[in-house]
Amino acid sequence: MWNVLLSFSGLVALIQLIFLPFFPESPPYLLLQKEDKAGCLKAMKQLWGEGNYQTEFDDLMKEKAITKGTKIMNVLEVLREGSVHPQLCTMLLLLLSLQLCGLKIFETANLQESIIPYVSLGVSISELISIIFCSSIIDRFGRRVLLCGGYLLMALILVLLETSLLLSDQFLWLRYCSVILIFLFIIAYGLGP
């Protein structure tokens, strides 16, 4: 029944597709991107209930004044911008290595077929934990600390992972440690990068 479990995310996506058109746009998007002041105030009232949101509106207006000279780029413009190519390549290589890394580890671990659905569930739970944890600490520590800490944790976990894979033939329990390290890697990735 693991295929039913994995298809549950598709059901959630379908529910979102059905109901999201009935929700208002975000107030910052309406004000900063569309320059719709009335729509922004209306969205604030729809999302947060009746009240005076002049302070929040003024904060958005200040942000708009600060970013007035900044040009918003679409995806193609970002891809054409030479100054971001190193960052894009780094992200692409990291994402590709994540995919290959997981396949190799699950192959190397020689897990029983009955355990694979639980491993897939564990990966999803790890992603969920990282999203919840990151969203709760990002305001306290800031993006820079989370990025640096996340990359350092990922590097440490990859060293441990490589070690566990090299020694997994001698110590069978290290195969399961490899799977746990994958979960920790996903959590570290979600915390920062």
Side-chain angles (χ1 to χ4, degrees):
M1 298 292 292
W2 66 268
N3 52 349
V4 175
L5 182 65
L6 288 178
S7 66
F8 181 73
S9 60
L11 177 65
V12 173
L14 180 64
I15 291 170
Q16 288 179 355
L17 283 173
I18 292 170
F19 288 106
L20 281 178
F22 299 106
F23 289 100
E25 291 285 352
S26 73
Y29 172 76
L30 288 170
L31 186 65
L32 301 176
Q33 305 291 325
K34 296 226 172 187
E35 299 184 9
D36 182 5
K37 293 179 183 179
C40 174
L41 288 170
K42 181 181 175 188
M44 284 179 176
K45 288 180 182 177
Q46 277 184 292
L47 291 170
W48 302 326
E50 289 298 322
N52 185 7
Y53 300 109
Q54 192 60 42
T55 306
E56 290 85 358
F57 185 77
D58 291 341
D59 288 343
L60 287 175
M61 289 300 289
K62 288 177 190 172
E63 186 179 338
K64 182 178 179 184
I66 291 171
T67 60
K68 188 173 185 172
T70 306
K71 182 183 181 259
I72 297 170
M73 302 167 73
N74 63 29
V75 175
L76 289 176
E77 290 171 334
V78 170
L79 291 175
R80 289 184 193 132
E81 179 65 37
S83 63
V84 298
H85 284 170
Q87 294 91 337
L88 289 174
C89 289
T90 302
M91 287 176 51
L92 184 63
L93 287 173
L94 181 62
L95 291 172
L96 290 174
S97 66
L98 275 175
Q99 298 299 319
L100 296 174
C101 182
L103 291 174
K104 174 66 177 159
I105 288 166
F106 294 144
E107 270 182 18
T108 305
N110 289 328
L111 298 174
Q112 297 173 357
E113 220 173 277
S114 62
I115 295 176
I116 298 293
Y118 298 108
V119 172
S120 298
L121 180 63
V123 168
S124 299
I125 290 172
S126 299
E127 291 174 347
L128 180 65
I129 289 170
S130 67
I131 290 168
I132 292 169
F133 190 66
C134 181
S135 63
S136 65
I137 65 170
I138 193 165
D139 290 334
R140 183 180 302 158
F141 295 104
R143 193 175 298 258
R144 182 182 303 264
V145 172
L146 290 181
L147 279 171
C148 293
Y151 281 126
L152 287 173
L153 274 173
M154 287 167 55
L156 175 66
I157 291 168
L158 285 176
V159 168
L160 293 172
L161 188 58
E162 185 62 30
T163 305
S164 71
L165 287 174
L166 288 173
L167 299 174
S168 66
D169 290 333
Q170 296 169 349
F171 306 99
L172 294 178
W173 57 271
L174 279 177
R175 294 177 179 181
Y176 296 98
C177 286
S178 300
V179 174
I180 292 169
L181 287 169
I182 285 290
F183 295 164
L184 292 175
F185 184 83
I186 291 168
I187 291 171
Y189 178 77
L191 287 178

